[in-house]
Amino acid sequence: MLEPRTNNQLMHSAGWLSRYQVARVKENLASSICTRSLSVVERFFESSHDDDELARIAEFHLELVGRLVVRLTDSEVVYSFGERIVALHHGKVIGRHSEIWKTLAVCLARCFENLNLIDRGRLARSIATIPSLTHDASIRSFYQNSWVMFHKIEKRPDDLAVDFVSAEIRKDIDELIFILKDSEENNTGPRSNLAGIWQRLFWMREWGFINELQAQEIYALLVSKES
């Protein structure tokens, strides 16, 4: 019944699962399919072999999860799926499969938008731990902004700011600020990479990950850009 979209089909030609079909899928079936599909994706990222066909299958299963997760009403279940997707970003081989990042990011965003208030905050804290790609020169800049789509997981007016920020996240923010400073002073770094840094920092500021001193440094950089 379901099969991956072939490479010669247009992006909107995913007729194998339309919105109408999604609406008719029972919640327990949707949850079961999401569970199995994520297991397939996890096994793919655990593999040390590069295989274009397996990568396409993994991408299909991520698309499937992204479409069906909106049918779930149990926020705890959706949150568990979101955590599994975040965990994929910490894998050792994910850097070799940048063509899947956008689908992975959309899947994470779909989980995020289907969470309740408490679980959105919990998942935001996990998303903040996703490594920044800025330091990895092997990553093609074309895919940099597909790593995490921060504009699709924005803080809502009723969301609560995080109440704890780990030392690791603080350190990552400091490193990102340093990269921006270095770029400003020495005119280094591709602009596409810098745009991703700004997007990440603005997102982290909205959620309360950035302290006052870091906020002042970011503001100084913004002022220097305008002058």
Side-chain angles (χ1 to χ4, degrees):
M1 173 181 158
L2 300 176
E3 59 183 22
R5 174 178 53 82
T6 60
N7 290 330
N8 60 356
Q9 285 181 294
L10 298 174
M11 288 300 293
H12 67 269
S13 299
W16 43 265
L17 205 61
S18 66
R19 291 182 180 179
Y20 174 73
Q21 287 173 307
V22 169
R24 295 194 62 184
V25 175
K26 295 185 181 297
E27 183 171 354
N28 60 346
L29 177 59
S31 180
S32 177
I33 292 174
C34 287
T35 299
R36 292 199 300 268
S37 289
L38 276 178
S39 294
V40 171
V41 175
E42 287 165 342
R43 287 196 296 272
F44 167 74
F45 280 115
E46 288 169 0
S47 172
S48 59
H49 303 290
D50 290 334
D51 188 311
D52 290 342
E53 179 62 20
L54 289 178
R56 196 167 71 86
I57 291 173
E59 186 174 16
F60 158 73
H61 281 283
L62 284 170
E63 289 179 0
L64 193 56
V65 174
R67 285 171 179 260
L68 288 177
V69 76
V70 299
R71 288 288 294 122
L72 307 184
T73 58
D74 188 332
S75 185
E76 185 64 33
V77 172
V78 178
Y79 170 76
S80 70
F81 292 153
E83 285 287 359
R84 290 171 68 178
I85 295 168
V86 168
L88 293 174
H89 291 79
H90 294 272
K92 295 180 179 179
V93 301
I94 191 170
R96 300 205 304 261
H97 302 286
S98 50
E99 72 279 3
I100 298 179
W101 292 351
K102 184 175 182 179
T103 306
L104 192 66
V106 169
C107 191
L108 180 60
R110 295 272 173 80
C111 288
F112 195 78
E113 70 185 21
N114 204 31
L115 293 172
N116 63 28
L117 186 71
I118 300 300
D119 289 334
R120 281 171 61 84
R122 292 169 66 196
L123 191 58
R125 285 192 290 273
S126 294
I127 292 171
T129 69
I130 292 177
S132 168
L133 287 179
T134 306
H135 310 296
D136 192 340
S138 69
I139 303 301
R140 288 169 287 177
S141 61
F142 177 80
Y143 293 102
Q144 283 276 0
N145 293 331
S146 297
W147 181 235
V148 179
M149 294 181 176
F150 289 104
H151 64 287
K152 290 186 177 292
I153 51 175
E154 292 178 342
K155 183 175 179 291
R156 295 174 183 168
D158 57 341
D159 283 327
L160 301 175
V162 297
D163 53 6
F164 173 76
V165 182
S166 69
E168 290 77 12
I169 294 176
R170 294 282 193 212
K171 181 181 178 182
D172 183 56
I173 294 170
D174 286 336
E175 289 179 350
L176 294 177
I177 292 173
F178 174 80
I179 291 170
L180 291 176
K181 286 181 177 178
D182 183 61
S183 175
E184 183 75 18
E185 294 171 1
N186 302 313
N187 196 27
T188 61
R191 289 188 177 275
S192 58
N193 294 11
L194 298 182
I197 293 176
W198 282 112
Q199 190 178 55
R200 186 182 183 102
L201 287 175
F202 287 147
W203 181 85
M204 297 185 91
R205 182 190 63 181
E206 286 296 310
W207 278 95
F209 291 101
I210 292 177
N211 61 31
E212 184 61 32
L213 178 59
Q214 291 169 332
Q216 290 175 5
E217 291 183 286
I218 293 170
Y219 177 74
L221 284 167
L222 287 171
V223 171
S224 68
K225 282 184 64 176
E226 295 175 357
S227 60

